[in-house]
Amino acid sequence: MSIASEQATKGGTALSFENLSVSFETEFADVHAVKGLSLEVYPGEVVALVGESGSGKSVTSTAAIGLLPPNAYITGKALVGGVNVVGMPESKLRKMRATDIAMVFQEPMTALNPVLTIERQLTESLELHGLAYGKDATARAIELLEMVGIPEPRKRIKQYPHQFSGGQRQRIVIAMAISCDPKVIIADEPTTALDVTVQAEILDLLRELKDKLNTGILLITHNMGVVADLADRVAVMFRGSLVETGTVDQVLNHPEHPYTQKLLASVPRLAVMDVTDTWVPEPADVVDPDRKLVLEARNLVLEYDMRGSKFRAVDDVSFELGRGEILGIVGESGSGKSTVAKAVLGLLPVASGVLAVQGTNLAALRPKAARAIRAKIGVIFQDPAASLNPRFPIGDCITEPMVVHKVGNRASRTKRAQELLDAVHLPRTVMNRYPHELSGGQRQRICIARALTLDPELLIADEPTSALDVSVQAAVLEMIQELQESYEFACLFVSHDLAVVDLLAHNVVVMKDGKSVEQGRVTDVLHSPQHDYTRRLLAAAPVPEPGEQAERREARRLLMAMENPDS
C-alpha cells in the first residue's frame, strides 16, 4: 500500500488544494496562473511538483503560505492541516507560518538576514510563537543545527551567514523551517544552486527529517534526478493546470501526457560504468597535426589576496584546449573551477605558471595588449538576468562588446545583432525589447549571442544552464553544440552538472581543493573514473529513474562508509 493510500485510510492531509485558481490583475489583461488545481500531500510523504518556469508551481506554493501579492485573485481552497488559508486574515496566517507550514527557499543567502547571527535568526521564530525563550531557545537552536549536520553548533551559532558555505546555509534554512515542528514544509528548488555532493547531503537530510518528524513535503523542482531520489508521488504542471499525477515510478518510468514525455526526454543522462569494473582505456586518438591550441595552462597557480595573506585557490594545474573542442571543468564549490575562468578573462592575476591564449602568456601582457586578447574571448555567465543591463534594449546588449572594442559603425553593429539573433533562434523583433520582457531561456540565448559578437576564438561558459528548466537547458545545450560547429570556437565549460558535461564536452578536468585530481577524455574520466573523488562525484549525481537512483544512493552510502570507516 502506498504512503498516500495508508494516510488516506487514517484521514487527514498535511496540505491539500481543492480546485485552486489564481489570477493576477495586470495593466493589460488578467493572467490566469493556476487553473482549478487539486492535490494532496499526506504526513510523512514527499510530493514533487514539476514543470517549466511559468507553469504555476511557485504560485501554487505561495498561495498555501499566504505570500501572494495584493493583485492576486484566489478562488478554491488551500488547506493546511485541514484549515483553509485562502482569505484568512494576515494576523492568523502569521501564527500558522513556521508552526503549521514552513518554507525552504531556493537561494539561502536571500532567505537569511546577513546582519543577524544564526542564533538570532533561529531563536526569533521560537520566541515569536511562544515556544521557547532565552537560554531554552538557544539550546533548541543548537539542537536544530546539530540535527541538520552543522559541525560545532555551539561555536558556529554565534557566526553570520557569510561565514558558512552554500550547503551549510541551506542546512540552516532547513533548521529554521523545522524549528517549530510544522505539519508541512514547502521546499522551493532547495538544491538548484548546489554541487552534486552537497545536493545529495541535503536530500538525505530532508528524507531523514520527514521520516523522523512525519512532516509532509511539497517539493518544487525542475531536476528530475532529485524527484527520483526523494519523491513518493509526482504532479506535473503545464500552463497552470495539473496534467499528470501518480507515483514516482508511474510518472518517471511510464509517462502518459505528451508534456511529461517531452520533459523527461530533455533530461541529460549520465552514462556511468560500475566503479568496480576493470578499466580498459579507449585507444588513443591519432594526434591531429593541424590541431590549433587556443588555451594552455602549465603549472598554473592562482591566489587571492586576503588582507595581506595569500589564499591559494588554484595550485599547479595544467591543461590544453584546442580549436573546435569543449573542455569541461567539474568539481565542488571552492574547488577552483570559476577561479580558472576568472583568470582567463583577466579578472584575476596569475601568481605563477603559464596561462596562454593563442600562444600569448596572459601574465606577461601589458594592459593594452591584454585588452586586444580579451576581444577574442566571449563569456556566458550563470545568471542571465544579472549579466544583462536592464536599461539596455536587447539590440544594445548584443552590440555592447563591439562598442567597447570600437568595432564597426551603428549599421554594421545592428546587422551583426540581427545575424546573431537568427543564429540563436530568436526573432529579430526582440531587438527593441528589454531583458525583463524575456523568459530565462530567452535571456540566456541573448547572452550567448552577445558572447559571439566579436567572433571569439575562445568561449568561457560558467554554469550557463544551472538555473534553467530541463527543456530550456536541452535547447540551450543543443544550440551551443550547433554554434560551435558553425563558428569552431574553443569552449571552456565550467559546471557541476556531470550529465551536461558528459553530453557536451570532449575532455574534462576534475578539480578538488584547487588541484586537478583527474583529467582526460570524457569517455575515460566520467565513464571509468580512477580517482576516489571522481567516483564520489559521480555517485552523488542523481539519475531520473527511481529504481536505479535507489541503487545509486545505496552504492554512495557504501562508498562513503568505506572512505570514512570511523564515522
Side-chain angles (χ1 to χ4, degrees):
M1 186 182 282
S2 69
I3 291 174
S5 54
E6 281 180 33
Q7 294 293 347
T9 57
K10 295 177 187 176
T13 59
L15 173 68
S16 65
F17 301 97
E18 293 178 11
N19 200 29
L20 181 76
S21 291
V22 182
S23 56
F24 295 94
E25 291 180 15
T26 68
E27 185 181 348
F28 302 105
D30 286 0
V31 176
H32 208 168
V34 179
K35 305 167 185 174
L37 179 137
S38 295
L39 183 68
E40 302 83 30
V41 181
Y42 291 93
E45 179 190 35
V46 179
V47 174
L49 194 57
V50 301
E52 295 172 292
S53 293
S55 62
K57 308 186 301 293
S58 294
V59 172
T60 300
S61 67
T62 43
I65 203 164
L67 293 177
L68 286 173
N71 67 329
Y73 176 70
I74 314 166
T75 59
K77 294 180 179 179
L79 302 156
V80 177
V83 179
N84 185 19
V85 298
V86 173
M88 183 179 280
E90 177 61 27
S91 57
K92 288 188 177 179
L93 259 173
R94 196 178 293 119
K95 288 178 182 176
M96 289 186 71
R97 291 185 194 127
T99 54
D100 292 283
I101 185 167
M103 194 152 187
V104 177
F105 294 96
Q106 179 173 350
E107 178 46 65
M109 227 12 205
T110 55
L112 294 169
N113 190 323
V115 298
L116 296 180
T117 63
I118 298 304
E119 178 183 15
R120 184 72 199 97
Q121 296 187 61
L122 279 169
T123 57
E124 187 176 31
S125 60
L126 294 168
E127 292 175 353
L128 189 67
H129 292 285
L131 298 175
Y133 298 93
K135 290 180 180 178
D136 290 341
T138 300
R140 171 66 175 154
I142 292 168
E143 183 189 332
L144 287 164
L145 289 186
E146 202 166 354
M147 196 183 291
V148 298
I150 298 291
E152 302 181 86
R154 288 182 184 279
K155 175 185 169 187
R156 303 212 67 183
I157 199 168
K158 302 291 183 185
Q159 294 180 338
Y160 291 85
H162 73 271
Q163 294 173 288
F164 293 82
S165 70
Q168 287 174 329
R169 285 197 288 261
Q170 194 62 293
R171 286 169 181 265
I172 291 164
V173 171
I174 292 169
M176 290 170 69
I178 64 170
S179 61
C180 301
D181 295 328
K183 297 181 179 70
V184 63
I185 295 172
I186 296 171
D188 190 357
E189 300 278 11
T191 61
T192 295
L194 304 178
D195 304 318
V196 284
T197 45
V198 179
Q199 172 179 276
E201 290 168 8
I202 295 296
L203 294 178
D204 286 344
L205 173 64
L206 285 171
R207 188 180 301 106
E208 185 185 314
L209 290 172
K210 65 105 177 174
D211 290 341
K212 194 174 182 179
L213 305 173
N214 200 36
T215 304
I217 296 178
L218 180 65
L219 174 69
I220 297 168
T221 184
H222 61 243
N223 187 326
M224 293 300 178
V226 169
V227 172
D229 194 29
L230 190 64
D232 299 301
R233 287 191 298 124
V234 184
V236 184
M237 284 192 79
F238 177 58
R239 294 183 180 173
S241 299
L242 216 54
V243 295
E244 187 164 0
T245 57
T247 66
V248 68
D249 178 65
Q250 286 169 347
V251 175
L252 296 192
N253 289 336
H254 311 285
E256 293 179 357
H257 196 276
Y259 176 69
T260 314
Q261 293 167 357
K262 178 194 160 199
L263 267 186
L264 290 166
S266 303
V267 179
R269 310 276 169 147
L270 184 62
V272 185
M273 286 175 57
D274 191 319
V275 292
T276 59
D277 285 355
T278 306
W279 180 54
V280 180
E282 290 185 10
D285 292 332
V286 178
V287 177
D288 183 0
D290 299 324
R291 185 185 186 220
K292 181 184 176 186
L293 277 187
V294 175
L295 179 64
E296 185 181 7
R298 291 199 304 273
N299 308 113
L300 180 66
V301 175
L302 301 172
E303 294 177 336
Y304 288 103
D305 192 342
M306 310 283 283
R307 295 184 181 178
S309 64
K310 299 285 185 182
F311 169 70
R312 185 162 287 195
V314 173
D315 188 11
D316 195 27
V317 169
S318 300
F319 58 81
E320 291 180 350
L321 174 59
R323 183 178 172 85
E325 296 173 1
I326 298 178
L327 175 68
I329 301 186
V330 300
E332 297 171 299
S333 290
S335 62
K337 309 186 302 290
S338 294
T339 304
V340 171
K342 281 181 187 174
V344 177
L345 290 167
L347 301 176
L348 190 69
V350 175
S352 69
V354 172
L355 185 61
V357 174
Q358 292 186 312
T360 305
N361 186 10
L362 296 177
L365 289 179
R366 293 182 178 276
K368 191 174 180 181
R371 184 186 178 93
I373 288 288
R374 280 202 290 275
K376 299 175 183 177
I377 303 173
V379 59
I380 309 168
F381 294 102
Q382 180 173 354
D383 185 350
S387 62
L388 294 172
N389 191 325
R391 296 183 177 186
F392 279 16
I394 296 304
D396 289 355
C397 288
I398 295 172
T399 57
E400 188 179 10
M402 298 180 79
V403 175
V404 169
H405 290 281
K406 299 180 173 61
V407 175
N409 56 28
R410 186 169 184 82
S412 64
R413 289 168 189 165
T414 301
K415 186 183 176 190
R416 178 65 177 154
Q418 290 172 338
E419 288 171 0
L420 287 165
L421 285 172
D422 293 342
V424 298
H425 308 305
L426 283 175
R428 293 185 177 189
T429 51
V430 304
M431 287 270 288
N432 297 317
R433 294 169 70 184
Y434 286 84
H436 74 271
E437 296 179 273
L438 304 181
S439 70
Q442 288 173 324
R443 283 197 291 259
Q444 196 60 294
R445 286 168 186 243
I446 297 300
C447 290
I448 293 169
R450 180 181 61 182
L452 299 176
T453 302
L454 297 173
D455 284 326
E457 295 284 336
L458 174 63
L459 184 70
I460 309 291
D462 189 4
E463 302 274 14
T465 61
S466 67
L468 303 178
D469 303 320
V470 283
S471 52
V472 179
Q473 173 181 272
V476 169
L477 293 175
E478 192 178 320
M479 183 179 305
I480 290 173
Q481 282 180 313
E482 184 185 306
L483 292 170
Q484 200 210 18
E485 287 171 13
S486 303
Y487 291 87
E488 291 192 322
F489 51 78
C491 180
L492 187 69
F493 194 92
V494 178
S495 181
H496 63 242
D497 191 327
L498 301 177
V500 167
V501 171
D502 188 27
L503 173 76
L504 201 65
H506 303 100
N507 300 299
V508 64
V509 177
V510 182
M511 292 190 68
K512 182 181 188 297
D513 299 332
K515 293 180 180 290
S516 167
V517 295
E518 190 168 358
Q519 63 177 281
R521 287 175 303 189
V522 164
T523 48
D524 293 337
V525 176
L526 295 189
H527 296 197
S528 308
Q530 297 306 292
H531 196 279
D532 286 344
Y533 177 69
T534 313
R535 294 181 185 195
R536 197 157 69 242
L537 274 182
L538 290 163
V543 295
E545 201 290 307
E548 185 185 345
Q549 179 54 29
E551 290 174 13
R552 286 173 65 84
R553 188 165 64 239
E554 180 60 21
R556 174 176 171 269
R557 190 188 64 77
L558 293 172
L559 185 65
M560 299 293 281
M562 286 165 61
E563 289 180 3
N564 305 293
D566 299 329
S567 63

